[in-house]
Amino acid sequence: MTFIPEWPIILQFTIATFVLSITPGPDMTLFVGRALSEGKAAGFACLVGASSGIVIHTTMVAIGLSALIVASPSAFFALKIVGAGYLVWLAYQAIRNGSAFSPEKKVGQSHTLFQNWLTGLGINLLNPKIILFFMTFLPQFVSATDPHAPGKLFFLGVLFIPLALPVVAPMIIAADRFSRLLKKNPTVTRITDRLFAGVFSAFAAKILMAQAK
């Protein structure tokens, strides 16, 4: 099959994916945060949403749309503003809603699986650093003169999802189990709320400082 790179390339890509998967980012913060507050099902729903975003980003890279966005200063600036604003909104929600882990939490405050999926999708699509990442990361494993380059780029981009799963899934499961401790300790819970709010705010600042070139 012409869209599948050679095995040495896949092996190199696998190693690089593992290293990148253990690097913290807004996606991982969201997965862990939702697993802590609403259980592992919510965390995995966010993961599926972010994975859907990766497929979209991969498709954009394969057909060249991401290059057009990054080449346009106004489009890239707009994407940075929207993405950073979305992270700030998530940080605000973490503070405003108080402890999402509290046993006396009112019924109806939890997100549906679809809402968690949509949040994961949004935080992935609205992060310009992910566009830059896939534009600079994927092409390293495909020759520009390869007539099957688009297919190979798409294959590698989609392959990133199952390769990252063994790293991300245990973190979500561990967060789900750790949430039992938080439910018994309001002080730790409030510190955790503020911690995640701070992390999201920090990532928002990093996004605003992202450069297209």
Side-chain angles (χ1 to χ4, degrees):
M1 290 178 281
T2 57
F3 62 88
I4 299 180
E6 294 76 12
W7 281 109
I9 297 297
I10 293 180
L11 178 60
Q12 295 173 26
F13 182 80
T14 300
I15 296 174
T17 298
F18 173 78
V19 174
L20 292 167
S21 296
I22 61 177
T23 304
D27 286 12
M28 180 66 73
T29 303
L30 176 66
F31 306 156
V32 174
R34 285 295 166 87
L36 283 169
S37 62
E38 300 177 25
K40 60 184 178 183
F44 278 112
C46 290
L47 171 60
V48 173
S51 298
S52 301
I54 289 176
V55 173
I56 295 175
H57 280 303
T58 299
T59 303
M60 292 175 66
V61 168
I63 63 178
L65 290 182
S66 291
L68 294 179
I69 292 177
V70 177
S72 171
S74 58
F76 189 78
F77 178 76
L79 185 62
K80 287 200 296 183
I81 294 298
V82 175
Y86 187 58
L87 288 175
V88 170
W89 179 80
L90 290 176
Y92 170 72
Q93 289 295 312
I95 297 298
R96 177 177 178 273
N97 292 335
S99 176
F101 318 127
S102 177
E104 65 269 19
K105 179 179 66 175
K106 295 180 180 179
V107 176
Q109 286 185 334
S110 296
H111 301 83
T112 64
L113 291 180
F114 175 74
Q115 288 174 326
N116 282 314
W117 174 85
L118 200 60
T119 301
L121 176 66
I123 203 173
N124 187 277
L125 291 181
L126 296 177
N127 187 350
K129 296 181 78 68
I130 294 182
I131 291 182
L132 291 174
F133 163 73
F134 274 93
M135 282 193 62
T136 58
F137 179 66
L138 291 181
Q140 296 183 42
F141 300 91
V142 178
S143 173
T145 59
D146 190 334
H148 306 293
K152 291 182 178 180
L153 285 171
F154 185 80
F155 176 84
L156 290 174
V158 174
L159 182 63
F160 183 90
I161 298 173
L163 290 179
L165 192 60
V167 176
V168 180
M171 294 185 181
I172 294 176
I173 295 174
D176 175 57
R177 296 179 178 178
F178 183 63
S179 67
R180 300 170 190 172
L181 170 63
L182 296 177
K183 290 177 181 179
K184 298 178 181 178
N185 194 323
T187 301
V188 176
T189 292
R190 292 304 297 142
I191 292 175
T192 305
D193 288 333
R194 288 175 170 79
L195 175 62
F196 277 108
V199 171
F200 278 127
S201 298
F203 281 124
K206 288 183 63 177
I207 284 179
L208 287 175
M209 292 185 293
Q211 298 297 319
K213 295 182 180 180

